[in-house]
Amino acid sequence: MEKRNHTRILEFILVGFSTDPQLQYFLFAIFLSIFKISLLAHMFIILLYRFSPTLHTPMYFFLANFSILEICYMSTIAPKMLINLLSQQKTITFHGCALQMCCYLLLGSAECYMLAAMAYDRYNAICHPLQYNHIMRRFVCLMLVLACWFIGIMVGVLQTILIFSLPFCGSNRINNFYCDIPPLMNLACNNTQFNEIIMLIITFLIIVGPFILTVISYTNIIRTILKNHPAGMRKKAFSTCTSHLIVVSMFYGSAAIMYLRPKSNYGMDEEKFLSLMYTVIAPLMNPFIYSLRNNDVKNAVKKVIGEIGIALHDNR
C-alpha cells in the first residue's frame, strides 16, 4: 500500500504534436481556425433548424442533434489542445483526464450511432417513400436520438471506469494531445489484456456495427436510385451518397484502426494522425457534406435573410 501511494500519478503530461515553439504557434493558428469554422457551421445548422419551419423534418431533426453532439465533442478536446500548444506545462489532472475521456467516449459513441440513424432515415425516405412519414414519425426519431445518447453514456462510463481502475506508475506522459484509451493503457503497471479484449468488443459494437448498418443503408439507397430515378437525379444522388460515405468511412475507419490494433502496434505518429482524422477533420467536413450543400438549407437561408430584411425595414 505504501509503495502504491508513493507511485500514484496525480497528473498526466499530454505530449502533443511538437516541442518546436514556431511549429506549435503554426498548429495553434490552424487548429483554432478549424475549431472556429466547425463551431460556427454547426451552430448555424442548429439555429437554422430552430427558426426554419420548412426544415422541421426527420432528416434535419437528426442533423440538428448531430450538430449538438459535434459541438460538445469538439469542445471536449479542442480547448485543452489549443491551450497546451501555447503552454510550457502541458499537464492535465488525473480526474480531469478521466472526465475528458468519459465525455469524449460518450459523445463519440453517440455519434457513431447517430450517423447510422441518419443513414436509416435516408434509406426510408428514398426506398420507402410512401411509408416514410409513418416509419419516421416524431416519436421514433426521438427514441433513436435518446438511444444514441444512452449507448454513449454506457460506453463512456464503462470504459472510463475500466481504464482508470488500472494502476498507473512510472511515466505519466500520454503520447497524444488528449486522454485516449491506447496511450493510457501503455502507462498501466498491470497486464491490460482484459481491457484490450473489452475495448475490441466495444469497438465492434460501437464502430464496426454502425458502419456496416450505414453502408447497407447507402447501398440500398444507391440501388433504388439506379433502378427508379432518371439519369439526372441519379448523378446528383450518387454524388451525395458518395460524399456521405467518404466522410463516414473516414470517421469510422480511422477510429476502427485506432482501437482494433494490438497494443504492441501502437505508434506515436500514427496515433496522432488517426486521432486528428476523427476529432478534428471529420467534425469540420460533416456540416458542409451533410447540410450546407443542400438546396433545402440554401432556400431556408434565403427565406430567413428575407424575413430579417423585412423586419428591419418595418422597424425603420
Side-chain angles (χ1 to χ4, degrees), residues 134-191:
H134 174 71
I135 296 172
M136 300 305 296
R137 55 192 182 277
R138 187 165 184 80
F139 176 77
V140 173
C141 295
L142 183 61
M143 288 298 102
L144 286 172
V145 170
L146 290 176
C148 294
W149 279 98
F150 176 76
I151 292 169
I153 291 170
M154 294 294 291
V155 171
V157 172
L158 173 62
Q159 281 283 56
T160 303
I161 290 173
L162 287 174
I163 293 298
F164 282 88
S165 62
L166 292 169
F168 298 101
C169 56
S171 175
N172 65 339
R173 295 172 64 85
I174 297 176
N175 181 36
N176 213 325
F177 55 91
Y178 67 103
C179 294
D180 200 7
I181 296 174
L184 272 165
M185 283 203 296
N186 281 335
L187 304 181
C189 301
N190 287 2
N191 189 312

Side-chain angles (χ1 to χ4, degrees), residues 5 11 57-58 61 63 80 121 129 142 166 181 219 236 241 248 255 300:
N5 289 338
E11 66 179 15
T57 62
F61 173 74
L63 285 170
K80 184 63 177 175
D121 169 69
L142 183 61
L166 292 169
I181 296 174
T219 300
K236 181 180 177 181
C241 290
V248 165

Side-chain angles (χ1 to χ4, degrees), residues 65-135:
N65 279 278
F66 185 70
S67 289
I68 293 171
L69 270 174
E70 288 275 55
I71 289 173
C72 297
Y73 182 69
M74 291 184 297
S75 300
T76 300
I77 295 171
K80 184 63 177 175
M81 176 184 68
L82 292 170
I83 290 170
N84 284 347
L85 282 169
L86 299 181
S87 175
Q88 295 297 325
Q89 301 294 327
K90 306 177 189 299
T91 59
I92 185 169
T93 64
F94 183 89
H95 293 100
C97 189
L99 179 61
Q100 186 186 59
M101 175 182 283
C102 184
C103 293
Y104 155 73
L105 291 173
L106 186 161
L107 296 163
S109 301
E111 270 196 29
C112 288
Y113 274 91
M114 189 72 74
L115 286 169
M118 290 162 59
Y120 175 69
D121 169 69
R122 291 297 82 207
Y123 161 75
N124 284 305
I126 294 173
C127 300
H128 305 289
L130 299 179
Q131 294 85 29
Y132 176 69
N133 289 329
H134 174 71
I135 296 172

Side-chain angles (χ1 to χ4, degrees), residues 192-226:
T192 59
Q193 187 175 3
F194 174 75
N195 297 78
E196 290 180 57
I197 293 172
I198 295 297
M199 185 175 71
L200 287 174
I201 294 171
I202 291 178
T203 299
F204 270 102
L205 294 175
I206 300 301
I207 298 176
V208 179
F211 176 67
I212 292 173
L213 293 175
T214 303
V215 170
I216 290 173
S217 295
Y218 278 111
T219 300
N220 286 320
I221 288 170
I222 293 171
R223 185 181 300 157
T224 301
I225 290 170
L226 293 175

